[in-house]
Amino acid sequence: MKSFDELWLELSQKAIDRPVGSATTQALDSGVHGIGKKIIEEAGEVWLAAEHESDEALAEEISQLIFHLQTLMLARGLTPLDVYKFL
């Protein structure tokens, strides 16, 4: 289990290292447009899980949405601090 910030550190390092076969590398290679499409898809899955699935399934869908949001942040050069100032 990891926190939002721990995931951020992990994904940031993968963005630097660019490991072959990494979901992070693949997401970043798809660019902002590709990542944005995944965010739309994952947001829909979160909503459907909230309506029709277990709390565990919902939590898993939310975690996937967070992953894609963080890859978008990386692709655009944002950091968690850029987001936190609006919370």
Side-chain angles (χ1 to χ4, degrees):
M1 184 179 344
K2 60 190 87 152
S3 70
F4 186 91
D5 291 321
E6 290 167 335
L7 177 63
W8 175 257
L9 292 174
E10 179 183 319
L11 298 184
S12 296
Q13 191 60 51
K14 287 182 179 180
I16 293 166
D17 296 342
R18 310 290 288 184
V20 175
S22 162
T24 305
T25 301
Q26 291 172 354
L28 292 171
D29 286 347
S30 74
V32 169
H33 184 83
I35 298 167
K37 287 170 60 175
K38 284 300 290 182
I39 289 170
I40 296 294
E41 175 188 333
E42 294 299 336
E45 291 176 6
V46 166
W47 173 39
L48 290 172
E51 291 278 350
H52 304 290
E53 297 184 33
S54 68
D55 288 348
E56 184 175 354
L58 174 58
E60 183 177 357
E61 293 297 342
I62 291 170
S63 75
Q64 292 171 18
L65 179 57
I66 290 170
F67 167 82
H68 290 290
L69 290 170
Q70 285 196 359
T71 60
L72 182 64
M73 291 167 62
L74 285 165
R76 285 294 307 266
L78 296 176
T79 70
L81 292 177
D82 295 314
V83 175
Y84 293 163
K85 68 183 177 183
F86 294 102
L87 295 178

